[in-house]
Amino acid sequence: MYNGFQFMAISQLAQRFPADSWWAKFYKDFSEDDLVAYYEGDLTLSSLNLDWDMPFPQQDKTILIFINGHLTVDTLYNLETDGAIGLMVMGNVMAKNIAIGGQEIYVHGHLTVENILCGSYNHGETIVNGNLQAAILVQDDEYRISVKGKKSIPCIVNIWHGDGVFQELPIRIEDILIEEIFFPEDEDDIGFSFTSLVQILKEGRSALTQFTSVPQRTIASPIYFTHPSINAENILKLTSCILMTPDNPSFDLTEQDVYFMIQRAHTNADGDVRNDSVYMKTAQCHYFIWLNDDQSVSLLTKTLDEEAEWWDITESSQEHLVDIQEHWLMLLTCINVAELYLHTIEVRDVHQMFQHPAIQDLDEEHDGFWDGSKCYSFRQAYLDEDGDSIHARIEIQTPDEAYYFYTLENETYVSRHYQPPNDVGRQELSYLNTTQWEASERYFEIFKQFMSQNFKIDIGTN
């Protein structure tokens, strides 16, 4: 460890410190006896202990390690989180495990962690100018991680609250970390031991369970469409599915840049009779499928050119119908997902919940409830300054700071939307992304349990 390092007063590197680093602001607070361990070039280590005196016992005044290159290390750690040696790497950092606290870790490039990234206590911060990629983030509510690039962390768990998220689905910290890391505590404390985690990593052992996926729920619900045929039965199922609300003769959706509009039979405002139909617009053409009075099905298509005319493809060979059949199958898949999930939350029950005093009493200063590292917020229905109706909705903030929205937009089903972490603006849940639908379902189940246990508000399911 000692070979290749140069030791110099902290002031000698003052011009090399990035402007947004702690050292650029406070290096003058240190004396000429306080040292930087400087390394020129790329460095590969089996481990790096940042506790005081540990890396360089003969240079016990070392307070910062500065690597002018890339750092590759199996285990980066320290035990004392009330203060430890700082680390500044002007290239990328690649590690198998990191468990640190009590100092600034500054990475000018990208930080990649194969397994665990754990920051503990409020006396430390990790700053990454590039991207952060880690398999698992073990966090408390105090340690700060600042990333200027993109973050990719499929699993996040919270050591204080014991909850977390894995590939967008809610999990418990005990699902991810081995039992040895926890010590017996009362019911309100999960008993996470940072010291045990560091010791396991120092020994070169894995602190992870064999957890690979969130267990699937058993859903006792029949599949809405049982065959993919373009026929009268399936058209009628489309025009009577849950997305077709009584107050509207049509609904639309977009998936993979294909626009669909489904219309049920009705008489419009001009007195014209409309048959059950499906319209599709792809990147190449329009398709129109409608149900005739005799229950036969007709298929039309035309190109996207303004002067293009519709032509009948009802009797075309299967080879010429491949494109429309692929998009039809995608539409049926979307409706199967809608039928599977949108029936599970009753509009009536959510309406009743908004009338509960615990919800009615919320205001702008206190607009929700914390449940571990999840937050539940509520917006009552109201008229805005233009006289437009703003619908009531429930917002669930997840441990990875994504949001799920449950909105009372109609009297048939509770609409659901999603906002990704570190993003602004809600978006439609893709019917082809069943993971997000399943996550929205599980978070709402956890929310129901919280409201029942704390406020005796019971939200039933169908």
Side-chain angles (χ1 to χ4, degrees):
M1 178 68 197
Y2 197 82
N3 294 333
F5 279 91
Q6 305 173 52
F7 297 90
M8 60 191 71
I10 196 87
S11 60
Q12 288 184 246
L13 280 182
Q15 301 305 313
R16 305 284 296 275
F17 297 144
D20 59 340
S21 70
W22 186 89
W23 295 99
K25 303 179 183 72
F26 299 107
Y27 75 92
K28 292 181 181 179
D29 294 347
F30 297 90
S31 72
E32 293 298 300
D33 293 331
D34 295 313
L35 301 179
V36 177
Y38 178 88
Y39 190 92
E40 180 65 37
D42 299 339
L43 179 62
T44 298
L45 300 170
S46 60
S47 65
L48 177 55
N49 185 349
L50 296 178
D51 279 314
W52 298 122
D53 303 337
M54 296 305 295
F56 311 105
Q58 295 178 357
Q59 297 287 350
D60 59 2
K61 294 294 185 179
T62 301
I63 60 173
L64 173 66
I65 298 173
F66 189 106
I67 299 173
N68 193 35
H70 302 307
L71 171 64
T72 301
V73 60
D74 285 348
T75 306
L76 175 65
Y77 67 94
N78 62 275
L79 277 170
E80 179 51 67
T81 59
D82 202 33
I85 296 172
L87 174 66
M88 186 170 292
V89 180
M90 301 311 291
N92 302 325
V93 173
M94 290 153 285
K96 288 186 177 179
N97 293 287
I98 297 177
I100 38 78
Q103 76 284 78
E104 179 184 82
I105 307 292
Y106 192 100
V107 181
H108 197 266
H110 306 308
L111 173 58
T112 303
V113 186
E114 184 178 326
N115 296 314
I116 292 174
L117 169 60
C118 179
S120 181
Y121 199 38
N122 63 5
H123 287 184
E125 179 178 17
T126 293
I127 299 174
V128 182
N129 264 340
N131 301 329
L132 168 61
Q133 181 175 344
I136 298 164
L137 174 61
V138 180
Q139 66 179 5
D140 57 24
D141 289 335
E142 297 183 328
Y143 191 86
R144 300 176 303 280
I145 298 178
S146 174
V147 181
K148 293 184 178 179
K150 297 180 179 179
K151 286 195 294 186
S152 176
I153 308 174
C155 181
I156 299 174
V157 290
N158 189 289
I159 67 172
W160 284 359
H161 305 302
D163 56 4
V165 58
F166 178 76
Q167 296 177 346
E168 301 187 71
L169 296 172
I171 55 165
R172 303 173 309 142
I173 192 171
E174 294 92 342
D175 297 327
I176 299 297
L177 301 180
I178 61 175
E179 186 177 354
E180 189 176 341
I181 292 176
F182 305 97
F183 50 86
E185 282 290 330
D186 58 50
E187 295 181 356
D188 296 326
D189 195 327
I190 63 168
F192 172 84
S193 171
F194 179 77
T195 301
S196 297
L197 172 63
V198 170
Q199 186 60 41
I200 291 168
L201 299 181
K202 282 174 59 178
E203 295 171 1
R205 296 189 288 130
S206 173
L208 302 176
T209 66
Q210 299 301 311
F211 187 88
T212 57
S213 64
V214 178
Q216 296 295 308
R217 295 183 306 130
T218 300
I219 305 176
S221 179
I223 297 176
Y224 192 65
F225 292 104
T226 57
H227 58 82
S229 304
I230 303 177
N231 59 16
E233 177 189 352
N234 281 345
I235 292 175
L236 291 172
K237 278 189 170 183
L238 280 170
T239 57
S240 60
C241 75
I242 191 169
L243 295 177
M244 188 72 75
T245 59
D247 59 338
N248 199 326
S250 66
F251 69 90
D252 61 358
L253 59 94
T254 301
E255 285 288 350
Q256 296 184 355
D257 297 324
V258 179
Y259 173 78
F260 301 94
M261 186 176 74
I262 295 83
Q263 180 177 259
R264 59 180 166 82
H266 70 286
T267 301
N268 66 17
D270 297 327
D272 299 324
V273 176
R274 302 296 185 187
N275 284 20
D276 296 288
S277 64
V278 177
Y279 166 75
M280 307 178 190
K281 182 180 180 182
T282 73
Q284 291 79 33
C285 59
H286 306 268
Y287 291 110
F288 193 60
I289 305 169
W290 83 89
L291 188 62
N292 297 300
D293 293 340
D294 63 358
Q295 299 297 286
S296 64
V297 176
S298 295
L299 310 177
L300 294 179
T301 188
K302 70 174 182 177
T303 66
L304 299 182
D305 297 334
E306 289 186 11
E307 303 301 322
E309 296 183 357
W310 291 98
W311 56 288
D312 195 323
I313 57 172
T314 306
E315 302 301 327
S316 297
S317 66
Q318 290 299 309
E319 180 182 354
H320 290 94
L321 297 178
V322 169
D323 190 56
I324 189 173
Q325 288 174 338
E326 287 180 352
H327 294 111
W328 174 262
L329 179 59
M330 181 165 66
L331 174 60
L332 299 194
T333 302
C334 291
I335 304 306
N336 270 340
V337 173
E339 287 287 332
L340 179 64
Y341 287 103
L342 288 178
H343 287 284
T344 61
I345 304 175
E346 290 278 7
V347 172
R348 176 191 66 250
D349 293 330
V350 177
H351 271 302
Q352 291 176 354
M353 183 198 62
F354 271 96
Q355 302 308 311
H356 192 280
I359 309 302
Q360 291 279 331
D361 291 343
L362 293 173
D363 53 35
E364 294 183 359
E365 297 298 323
H366 178 218
D367 62 351
F369 308 107
W370 281 96
D371 175 18
S373 51
K374 302 174 292 296
C375 186
Y376 310 128
S377 302
F378 306 85
R379 184 186 70 188
Q380 294 284 356
Y382 68 95
L383 294 177
D384 67 11
E385 57 186 13
D386 297 322
D388 296 325
S389 296
I390 305 300
H391 304 293
R393 78 180 182 198
I394 301 166
E395 302 177 10
I396 299 179
Q397 178 183 336
T398 70
D400 61 345
E401 297 184 348
Y403 287 85
Y404 287 93
F405 302 91
Y406 308 80
T407 310
L408 294 173
E409 296 180 351
N410 61 76
E411 293 301 318
T412 303
Y413 62 89
V414 177
S415 301
R416 303 189 201 181
H417 295 82
Y418 172 73
Q419 179 175 304
N422 307 308
D423 205 343
V424 177
R426 66 176 192 163
Q427 56 189 235
E428 300 281 349
L429 265 70
S430 166
Y431 290 105
L432 300 181
N433 188 339
T434 54
T435 297
Q436 284 186 355
W437 280 93
E438 183 64 18
S440 75
E441 192 81 358
R442 296 193 186 199
Y443 279 116
F444 199 83
E445 285 293 320
I446 295 169
F447 161 72
K448 285 166 48 181
Q449 295 170 12
F450 175 86
M451 299 305 290
S452 176
Q453 293 169 2
N454 292 275
F455 301 102
K456 308 304 179 186
I457 302 176
D458 292 319
I459 306 172
T461 56
N462 195 23

